[in-house]
Structure formats: structure tokens, C-alpha cells
Amino acid sequence: MKINTLVISLTLVSGYAAASDTPVQPTGAMPPSAQLCVSCHGAQGEGIEPLGPRLAGLSSEYISTQLHHFQKGIRQNATMMPMAMTLQGDGIEQVASYFSAQQVKTQVTPLIRGKQVTFADDTARLAYQGDWSRGLPACVTCHGPSGLGGGLFPRLAGQQASYIKTQLLAWQDGARKGDVDGMMANVANKLTAAEVDALATYFANLK
Amino acid sequence: MKYSAMLLLAATGLFTLQAQASSTEQAPERPDKQAPLPSFPKMPEQTYLTPRPLSAIPDGAFGDKVRLGYQLFVNTQQLRDKYVGNELNCTNCHMDAGRKANASPLWGAYFAYPAYRKKDDKVSSFEERIQGCFNYSMNGKAPASGSPELVALSAYAYWLGMGGLMDEAKISGPVPELSDTELLKGAKREDFPLPEGLAKVMTVEQRANLPGRAYPEIPKPELAYSPERGKEVYVAHCQTCHSVDGQGQAIAGVYALPPLWGPKSYNWGAGMHRVNTAAFFIYENMPFGKSMQLTHQQAWDVAAYINSHERPQDPRSKGDVKQAQEKYHNDSDYYGLSVDGKVLGTESYPVFPKKS
């Protein structure tokens, strides 16, 4: 807290804040608006299972979109809806920018599509090749090789299994919306309960 | 003469209508100069050939060619700078690694070649057809005849189709191995080697017209297609994946969500640059996973929007856009037409550029 005050005072003194009403944060420092997130998501957005998913590794675009969705009730969650409401002004941008800048601690070497032709594991095959007999595209088409994510498509690699599962179920029962043309709901609704479990574990273990 | 004067009048009429909304020229209706193999409207309740799973590819030298074909098909970027000059992979347009019906499946094409192609004004073998993909869709330089890549892609296409046909005819056993020479020719010929019993089930002509081949045709739009309306469709349904600027999205260097125009996409000679081909593809296959169905009109309009942007040059052009337009275009496309004050083709991107 002291450090923050010092930083803000220094910023004010140096005159950077002159153009804006809100103090400009030095690169890398946690903005005050993000402090509320820490108890569930961790100081570096590393996630605390089962309180909150990992935010590190998600894009700023994705985090801010989801916060807007919580605010508008497009994405329903008893904890996150009121939390998101606390973010006013450019709070959302600050939080999104801070957590998206955090590094994921474990390195994943992406498996590029085509490298492997056959998969003994049905779940890996579903993730990499989909099941078009059911109109199911491969997860990696949108979420990227090894589910690394990018833009509006969240990273799945190394995310908590419990969280991935909860989200797939939320897509299925409509508690989570906001995907363009219902693309993700369409995919989730074609998955069996066993596949939801298996995919959640599969991506969580890509570390 | 009278006919063309009427066409001109009709085109002028259309243009006047369009001009009120924007400065985009309407692509005139003209005889098709580079028509692909005919496609057919989709039939309800139709069943389609089902290729065998990839795990059924046999061990050994022949199986290795089939596997390599699959790998090149889904990760065509491994040929970047060698034969490929953009960011696309075959599987971007041929869904499910060339296995999906109504998404120009490889198995449908394999049994349809050799075939006369208006585009080349000659009978093309299957290998020559794939060379065309490299030169146009991949904005690259085709591998030489008989090269391992063309053998592999032919082997994969053949294996997908033959396995499916054998299963339908209840002929068990592995797909018969063929020599490279046979593989490269394609299967639409009387002397194509078939497993015993299969020749009696289907004629060459029937095999060449398997249901699900190509992209199913959709009716002409009620209103002349319009890039302006298409832009609205694009913003609402396409840009989340393909980006606001049409440049797609790369994750870990892979454009699984491909660029649709500009220097990283297919060139002005590719089949997909035609509004009709793109409309057929889009109506049947987009948005990815088909969570909703676009209307026919939306498919035509958004195809027009996508294909009224600049892209890499038509490799057949000799430097004169007007000349190339007269010779190769003016059918269902925007090459040589003026869009937002610029004639498309005049500021085209290079053919087969090195990846920077």
C-alpha cells in the first residue's frame, strides 16, 4: 500500500498524470483496481483452485470482454457478476492489461496440427481432429495448437480442469453466453458428460 | 452484338443502382471462363461416402505416402517458400482434412480426374489439378510432376476414396496399393485398377459424380450480390475469427483461422476468388461448426465482400490487368473492376513471395 502511494505520488510529481484523471501506472505494477482479484486469482493471475481460474496467459481482449459479459449478465456467475460491477471507468482495461501481461510459469511446446497422424487417446484425437460425424470441429482450430489461445479464444493449456469443466457445463446450460452465433455453445452441447471431463483433464495437463 | 448490348445495358442499370450506395462496380454476368467441375445442389437425406479412420492407414511404404499426404494437407505450411507462398493450409477450404462431404472432399475429386478443365483448356490429371492448387490457392509454385509431395497427396486422396467405396460395396481388406504413376493420374478412367467386384457396382461416370463432391450449388441471390451488404454480414458473423481486416488469426504461428484477402491469402487465379464458389463454400461450411445457417443472400453478399478486396496477382497475368481480365476473368469475380476508386488487380500483392 505504501509502495502504491509512493508510486502514485511520484507519478503525479513527474507530471505524467496531467493529461488524465486517473494516475498512470508504471508498466508491470498492479493497478489498485486489480487488488480485489488477487484473493481468488493470485497476485500474478496464476489462479487459485477452486476459487478462481488462472488469468495469466489470457489476452487483454478476452479478459475485458468477459468482464463486460459479467457486468451485463451475459455470463452468469454469483461471485464474478458483483466483482465485475466494482470495475468502473477504465478499471476493466487496467485489470485486463495487468493480468494479460502476466507470464504463464510453465512452458508448453505447441503440437502443430499434422505432426501426429493418429491418436491412441480419444480425447487427444477430439482436441486435434474433432469429430465431424457429429459436426464437432477440433478444439485447436480456434484455441490454437495445444490450446495456447489468442485473441478472443482463451488459452486452455494448463488451465484448471475444474474450471474448464465448469465452463463447458455453463455453455451447455446457458449460464455462459456471449459467443458469436453461439459457436462455443454449439460445440459444448455436442459433448457428452464423459467428454467434458476428459477434455478438461486433457487440457489442464498440457503443461 | 444485340445480346452484348443488352448485357451492357443491364450491367449499366445495375451499376447505376449500386452506385448510389457506393463506388463498387457490379460484376457483370458473362459466360464463365474458368468454371470448375460442375457442382450440384444438396439433396436432403443424402448419404455420403465415409472414408476410413486415419488409424486404418496401413504400415509400409504405401501407407507412409498416405500419411505424408494427410500431413501435407493439414500442415501445408511445411512447404512454405518451397511450394507455398501464403499462410493457408489445404484443410482451410477442404474441411476435416479433405474428408467432409460438401466441402470439396479429396475423395470426390480423386474419382473425377482426369477431367477436362475450362480453366486450362485441357484434360488435367489429378496431379495437375493439385499443381493448380499450389499455383493459385496457395499462391506458390507447384511441385514438379511426379514429386513426392504430389504422390503423397494423390495417395491420401485415393486412399480416402477407395476405402469408402470398398466399405459401401462391402469389399473387405486393405485398400489396394497402386504405383506412383497410377496414383498421379486420378481415377476417372476405364483402365483405373479397381478391387474385384467394385467395377460392377458403379460406372466410371458414377464414381466421378459422388454425392458430396465439390461445394453444393445454391440458387442465385434474389438481389444482385453486394459487398456493402456483405460487409454487414462479415462484421456480424465472420470477423471474430477472421479479424476486422480479414487477415485471420495466428496462434503459435499457425493460421488455423485463415486470412481471406491481402498478401497472405489465395491469389486472383484461385477458384475461391470467384464469388459463386466462395458463396457455395460459405453457405455450406461457415460459420465454422455451423452453429447457425446464413441465408443464400447473406452467403452471396459476404462472398462478394471478401472477394472485392485486393489479393496476390493472377499468375497468368502478363502485367496488363485489362488483358488478364478479358482473358481469364469477368465471369463471377471482381478482378479488373473498380472498388472504392481502385481497379482490383492493379495493386495486387506478389505471387510466391518469400515469408519475411
Side-chain angles (χ1 to χ4, degrees):
Chain A
M1 203 58 186
K2 262 184 193 161
I3 290 176
N4 266 325
T5 319
L6 185 68
V7 167
I8 290 167
S9 319
L10 279 172
T11 315
L12 285 170
V13 168
S14 60
Y16 278 112
S20 154
D21 291 332
T22 45
V24 172
Q25 295 298 319
T27 323
M30 187 192 295
S33 48
Q35 280 170 358
L36 200 57
C37 316
V38 169
S39 50
C40 295
H41 294 284
Q44 273 83 51
E46 66 273 24
I48 302 171
E49 198 168 5
L51 298 178
R54 186 180 68 193
L55 302 179
L58 300 173
S59 76
S60 155
E61 190 185 5
Y62 174 77
I63 298 175
S64 61
T65 303
Q66 296 309 311
L67 286 167
H68 285 292
H69 287 174
F70 283 126
Q71 286 191 341
K72 293 179 191 146
I74 296 169
R75 186 173 169 183
Q76 296 188 6
N77 179 281
T79 313
M80 271 313 293
M81 287 163 80
M83 288 294 171
M85 294 310 285
T86 67
L87 294 168
Q88 298 301 321
D90 52 4
I92 286 185
E93 297 316 311
Q94 289 171 2
V95 167
S97 143
Y98 172 75
F99 285 111
S100 65
Q102 304 306 311
Q103 297 299 312
V104 175
K105 301 280 184 275
T106 45
Q107 281 292 317
V108 175
T109 310
L111 177 62
I112 302 300
R113 193 176 172 196
K115 191 90 191 155
Q116 208 174 320
V117 180
T118 53
F119 293 86
D121 174 17
D122 288 345
T123 310
R125 183 166 61 246
L126 192 56
Y128 265 83
Q129 298 178 339
D131 179 0
W132 284 93
S133 68
R134 291 185 285 158
L136 263 176
C139 311
V140 301
T141 303
C142 293
H143 290 278
S146 299
L148 287 177
L152 284 173
F153 302 99
R155 178 180 171 127
L156 305 174
Q159 183 58 279
Q160 299 155 9
S162 59
Y163 172 75
I164 300 178
K165 178 181 174 173
T166 315
Q167 293 315 300
L168 285 169
L169 297 177
W171 283 115
Q172 287 183 343
D173 68 20
R176 183 168 177 179
K177 290 193 170 82
D179 51 338
V180 173
D181 292 330
M183 285 182 91
M184 189 58 219
N186 175 55
V187 168
N189 276 313
K190 289 173 183 166
L191 298 174
T192 65
E195 284 168 340
V196 167
D197 278 330
L199 284 168
T201 310
Y202 173 77
F203 281 110
N205 287 323
L206 288 183
K207 289 179 185 169
Chain B
M1 199 57 190
K2 262 184 194 164
Y3 181 59
S4 57
M6 266 164 63
L7 267 180
L8 188 66
L9 263 174
T12 318
L14 280 172
F15 178 65
T16 321
L17 273 176
Q18 289 291 321
Q20 292 166 355
S22 91
S23 62
T24 302
E25 273 182 68
Q26 183 67 32
E29 284 278 339
R30 295 254 203 111
D32 215 325
K33 291 203 181 77
Q34 52 175 104
L37 293 179
S39 68
F40 308 95
K42 202 174 165 185
M43 305 296 280
E45 307 303 315
Q46 178 72 59
T47 57
Y48 301 105
L49 179 148
T50 309
R52 294 178 177 177
L54 298 174
S55 54
I57 302 173
D59 289 333
F62 173 72
D64 287 344
K65 289 174 197 170
V66 176
R67 267 183 292 273
L68 177 62
Y70 166 80
Q71 293 180 306
L72 293 172
F73 202 80
V74 299
N75 178 15
T76 323
Q77 286 302 308
Q78 59 191 295
L79 301 178
R80 186 65 196 263
D81 288 349
K82 193 176 177 195
Y83 303 124
V84 171
N86 61 19
E87 290 290 348
L88 303 184
N89 294 289
C90 306
T91 193
N92 289 141
C93 298
H94 308 270
M95 320 291 279
D96 191 19
R99 289 177 292 190
K100 191 173 171 295
N102 298 316
S104 283
L106 269 182
W107 46 262
Y110 192 75
F111 288 97
Y113 284 89
Y116 172 76
R117 289 195 89 210
K118 227 171 176 176
K119 185 169 182 170
D120 304 318
D121 194 24
K122 69 188 270 291
V123 173
S124 301
S125 63
F126 188 69
E127 151 185 76
E128 286 170 311
R129 179 64 190 84
I130 307 176
Q131 286 179 315
C133 299
F134 278 100
N135 289 330
Y136 303 113
S137 303
M138 307 309 294
N139 193 35
K141 183 178 130 291
S145 169
S147 65
E149 290 83 1
L150 295 178
V151 170
L153 288 163
S154 305
Y156 177 53
Y158 161 71
W159 183 85
L160 290 176
M162 186 54 81
L165 284 185
M166 287 170 67
D167 290 351
E168 276 181 6
K170 308 220 180 323
I171 300 170
S172 58
V175 171
E177 299 185 8
L178 294 185
S179 69
D180 293 357
T181 317
E182 294 285 4
L183 285 172
L184 292 165
K185 285 186 205 166
K188 192 187 176 188
R189 49 196 172 101
E190 293 294 344
D191 61 348
F192 185 74
L194 291 172
E196 209 167 323
L198 199 57
K200 281 178 248 151
V201 186
M202 280 175 122
T203 64
V204 172
E205 204 54 45
Q206 283 170 326
R207 289 198 305 267
N209 290 293
L210 293 172
R213 186 172 68 69
Y215 305 123
E217 233 171 270
I218 59 169
K220 286 211 181 318
E222 277 180 39
L223 308 169
Y225 54 74
S226 134
E228 289 74 32
R229 276 196 311 271
K231 185 177 181 177
E232 292 169 30
V233 178
Y234 185 85
V235 169
H237 304 289
C238 316
Q239 74 172 21
T240 302
C241 291
H242 294 287
S243 297
V244 184
D245 58 2
Q247 297 312 291
Q249 244 184 95
I251 298 177
V254 179
Y255 279 89
L257 305 168
L260 304 180
W261 63 81
K264 299 172 193 165
S265 192
Y266 51 87
N267 69 35
W268 280 113
M272 197 58 84
H273 95 279
R274 299 154 49 88
V275 179
N276 50 3
T277 304
F280 300 165
F281 167 78
I282 291 166
Y283 181 81
E284 178 64 27
N285 294 292
M286 290 288 125
F288 192 60
K290 291 300 285 282
S291 55
M292 55 89 70
Q293 177 63 61
L294 295 172
T295 65
H296 291 145
Q297 185 71 52
Q298 284 175 317
W300 283 99
D301 289 342
V302 79
Y305 175 66
I306 290 165
N307 283 333
S308 57
H309 285 87
E310 197 56 279
R311 54 181 64 260
Q313 186 55 267
D314 187 335
R316 299 165 297 183
S317 160
K318 300 208 162 51
D320 182 340
V321 170
K322 213 68 217 147
Q323 203 176 42
Q325 181 193 23
E326 279 304 315
K327 192 154 183 208
Y328 304 111
H329 295 270
N330 259 342
D331 31 29
S332 180
D333 80 321
Y334 282 92
Y335 187 85
L337 299 191
S338 173
V339 172
D340 295 333
K342 281 184 182 162
V343 175
L344 290 169
T346 54
E347 290 179 22
S348 290
Y349 299 98
V351 172
F352 195 40
K354 291 281 180 221
K355 189 175 175 130
S356 46

